[in-house]
Amino acid sequence: MLKKFFYIFFGLLILIQFVPVNLPEVRAENPNDLVQNTSIDKDIVTMLKNSCYDCHSNETVYPWYSYVAPVSFLVSRDTRVGREKLNFSEWNTFSKLDKLSALDDIAEAIEYGEMPMKIYPITHLDAKLSDDDQEKFLEWAESFAEMIME
């Protein structure tokens, strides 16, 4: 019985590899990108790129497992949802109010440990934000919001 289950499981695993996943498009040219158009401290840029950009920009770097079902379905969904909520590649198209709202959402997500998603740093070790990193991020979000208000 267990042997039959094993064969069925692996057969299904092989079959779902043929289901198209349609990962969101990656674009190298992003003229409205936050990092490209704003003077930001290099430590913050590094944190943004390592912890946020794969889901919240058009510059997603898909690791090998992004092409293996069923993980590919999750990566695709998380990237689409992340870009819908906030896409740093479209930053300069946002109104001042939308930018301020985004910065507030970023600060809140970091403060409450919601971002990066708990599963993300498991496979992206450089995405984990230390307490010091979180504090720097929060300070940046606050000072950047003040700069936008000027």
Side-chain angles (χ1 to χ4, degrees), residues 78-150:
D78 289 346
T79 304
R80 287 184 198 288
V81 169
R83 288 181 184 181
E84 285 172 12
K85 289 187 177 194
L86 173 63
N87 188 338
F88 289 116
S89 296
E90 304 298 327
W91 185 261
N92 275 357
T93 66
F94 299 169
S95 69
K96 278 187 178 186
L97 188 60
D98 287 340
K99 289 177 182 179
L100 294 170
S101 177
L103 289 167
D104 188 53
D105 290 346
I106 291 167
E108 188 175 304
I110 290 171
E111 189 172 7
Y112 292 109
E114 297 168 357
M115 286 289 146
M117 293 171 43
K118 299 285 186 227
I119 196 168
Y120 189 73
I122 292 171
T123 54
H124 300 81
L125 300 178
D126 54 352
K128 180 144 179 57
L129 296 174
S130 68
D131 291 342
D132 188 45
D133 291 340
Q134 290 175 3
E135 190 59 38
K136 285 180 188 174
F137 227 127
L138 293 172
E139 288 173 9
W140 167 76
E142 185 178 329
S143 66
F144 194 47
E146 289 173 4
M147 195 172 83
I148 290 170
M149 292 291 290
E150 293 176 352

Side-chain angles (χ1 to χ4, degrees), residues 4-20 64-65 67-74:
K4 185 177 180 181
F5 172 77
F6 224 46
Y7 286 131
I8 291 171
F9 175 77
F10 281 110
L12 289 173
L13 194 59
I14 290 169
L15 281 176
I16 65 171
Q17 301 311 309
F18 296 101
V19 175
W64 66 269
Y65 56 81
Y67 302 97
V68 180
V71 175
S72 58
F73 305 131
L74 298 173

Side-chain angles (χ1 to χ4, degrees), residues 25-39:
E25 177 187 12
V26 174
R27 287 190 308 224
E29 298 293 321
N30 295 292
N32 291 308
D33 187 74
L34 168 71
V35 171
Q36 290 180 25
N37 292 291
T38 312
S39 178

Side-chain angles (χ1 to χ4, degrees), residues 38-93:
T38 312
S39 178
I40 301 175
D41 180 83
K42 76 174 189 152
D43 290 340
I44 299 299
V45 169
T46 300
M47 284 187 265
L48 283 166
K49 294 280 187 173
N50 291 343
S51 301
C52 310
Y53 261 54
D54 275 347
C55 291
H56 295 284
S57 81
N58 297 333
E59 300 175 23
T60 306
V61 176
Y62 293 115
W64 66 269
Y65 56 81
S66 299
Y67 302 97
V68 180
V71 175
S72 58
F73 305 131
L74 298 173
V75 170
S76 178
R77 181 196 54 133
D78 289 346
T79 304
R80 287 184 198 288
V81 169
R83 288 181 184 181
E84 285 172 12
K85 289 187 177 194
L86 173 63
N87 188 338
F88 289 116
S89 296
E90 304 298 327
W91 185 261
N92 275 357
T93 66

